[in-house]
Amino acid sequence: MNLQSNTGILLFVFIAIGCSSTTSNLPAKLIRMDHFSSVNIDSRNVDIWLPPGYDEKAKYPVLYMHDGQMLFDSTTTWNGQEWGVDETITTLLTSNQIESVIIVGIWNTTKRHSEYFPQKPFESLPVSTQDSLLQLGRNENTPLFQIEIVSDLYLKFLVEELKPHIDNHYSTISGPEGTFIMGSSMGGLISMYAISEYSEIFGAAACLSTHWTGTYTDQNNPIPMAIFNYMAENLPDPTNHKLYFDYGTETLDALYEPFQQQADSVLIQAGFNATNWTTQKFEGQDHSERAWNSRLEIPLKFLLGK
């Protein structure tokens, strides 16, 4: 079904996802908005997962998740892995461990690193350092940053374009008490940045395997300290916001522990405690969708637990 709206042509594809009849007689649905357009960033696909028994007369919290193409279907991902969001949430709903939630999966693009790198910490670095970072390569043939840092525009897209569309078309709890954000790696960084920049929009954030280094080295790297300095000045009010962090110990995650410990110190100084913040270490887990899937129920229960 093709629909015309102020965001352009949206292609809606409805996919029924099986679930236990003890949860609802109505199956969950996955809705694809193809090439959702924006005046701020490149258009991209957006997936919307409606929970079993979705009822327009009820109101649902919304969890915005980055790297949307990696969330639901491993047969279409570049590495054959997925977060398994639909299966995990359905299991938690069936066992009555979390509230029903709408998931909005925002697909990434080739400009992912530039869109997810927190812009204000980057711009706090000396110009010569910024220039050097922008010249880094992911490998011999691929630059790390496809363009300059545009994460402020990415967040503007989320807050001013995508969220209003979701709130206008679905039955949501639109305030920060019902608006959450989650991501892994660079998606963890941009989730921390989102709740700090837009604390009036997002009430909680889950940051898995947060890529504190910003690049692929922990040696002589000015990025983590720039991020921690930003956090010290901009973290949201701990009395009405929640933050989840975690990390593994293998592959890229092996870099993170000392930086996560520094981030935790900033959180404590800002007034976060066990009632509104947790950091968890997962021994032996690596930097992959398979690892994030294996522990996804933990941040979901932190955000949505009954």
Side-chain angles (χ1 to χ4, degrees):
M1 174 169 61
N2 290 312
L3 299 179
Q4 180 73 47
S5 81
N6 60 3
T7 56
I9 298 294
L10 305 183
L11 176 61
F12 284 69
V13 180
F14 290 79
I15 305 170
I17 302 173
C19 63
S20 168
S21 60
T22 60
T23 302
S24 170
N25 292 323
L26 296 174
K29 289 181 179 178
L30 185 63
I31 303 166
R32 170 73 42 79
M33 298 197 300
D34 194 53
H35 300 298
F36 190 96
S37 63
S38 167
V39 299
N40 292 295
I41 56 173
D42 292 347
S43 65
R44 68 206 54 218
N45 294 348
V46 175
D47 289 340
I48 303 161
W49 186 83
L50 300 180
Y54 172 76
D55 182 355
E56 291 186 356
K57 295 178 182 177
K59 293 289 185 181
Y60 298 85
V62 181
L63 174 57
Y64 291 86
M65 298 185 69
H66 312 288
D67 297 316
Q69 62 264 58
M70 308 301 294
L71 303 180
F72 299 108
D73 186 1
S74 63
T75 66
T76 63
T77 62
W78 68 271
N79 61 359
Q81 298 182 36
E82 61 166 289
W83 284 62
V85 172
D86 46 337
E87 293 92 345
T88 302
I89 291 181
T90 299
T91 297
L92 292 172
L93 288 173
T94 301
S95 56
N96 199 35
Q97 296 185 67
I98 63 170
E99 303 288 347
S100 279
V101 61
I102 296 170
I103 303 295
V104 178
I106 307 107
W107 286 38
N108 66 45
T109 71
T110 58
K111 299 171 183 175
R112 176 180 184 269
H113 216 83
S114 296
E115 291 180 342
Y116 289 6
F117 198 114
Q119 190 162 340
K120 288 183 173 61
F122 181 85
E123 291 175 349
S124 73
L125 295 167
V127 173
S128 59
T129 303
Q130 296 179 39
D131 291 342
S132 296
L133 290 171
L134 290 174
Q135 299 306 311
L136 291 176
R138 185 180 297 275
N139 53 48
E140 254 183 29
N141 303 312
T142 308
L144 183 59
F145 297 94
Q146 294 287 336
I147 58 172
E148 63 185 12
I149 307 301
V150 291
S151 56
D152 284 353
L153 289 175
Y154 176 74
L155 293 184
K156 195 173 181 181
F157 154 71
L158 291 186
V159 169
E160 297 185 5
E161 297 178 310
L162 181 58
K163 185 180 185 298
H165 177 89
I166 299 300
D167 290 339
N168 287 334
H169 288 79
Y170 301 97
S171 188
T172 69
I173 301 171
S174 60
E177 72 279 7
T179 307
F180 312 133
I181 194 159
M182 179 189 290
S184 63
S185 191
M186 291 298 294
L189 270 188
I190 192 63
S191 296
M192 178 282 297
Y193 191 52
I195 198 172
S196 299
E197 287 291 290
Y198 290 98
S199 59
E200 77 281 10
I201 300 294
F202 300 106
C207 312
L208 286 66
S209 297
T210 309
H211 192 53
W212 297 112
T213 57
T215 62
Y216 297 110
T217 180
D218 57 353
Q219 300 300 308
N220 301 314
N221 188 336
I223 293 169
M225 189 53 64
I227 293 172
F228 302 147
N229 289 338
Y230 166 84
M231 290 172 63
E233 297 295 327
N234 295 280
L235 281 170
D237 185 347
T239 63
N240 53 12
H241 291 81
K242 297 174 68 176
L243 285 166
Y244 171 96
F245 292 92
D246 73 21
Y247 60 97
T249 59
E250 302 298 324
T251 63
L252 196 55
D253 274 38
L255 295 175
Y256 297 152
E257 184 166 12
F259 299 114
Q260 185 63 60
Q261 290 173 345
Q262 292 181 68
D264 292 349
S265 295
V266 176
L267 289 161
I268 292 169
Q269 288 294 318
F272 283 87
N273 56 46
T275 66
N276 47 36
W277 155 61
T278 185
T279 290
Q280 302 210 18
K281 177 181 179 179
F282 293 92
E283 198 73 47
Q285 291 204 5
D286 63 9
H287 195 85
S288 68
E289 283 76 20
R290 189 175 291 114
W292 302 321
N293 167 256
S294 73
R295 61 184 190 255
L296 179 58
E297 68 174 49
I298 297 172
L300 286 174
K301 286 192 286 187
F302 179 83
L303 297 179
L304 300 159
K306 291 188 174 182

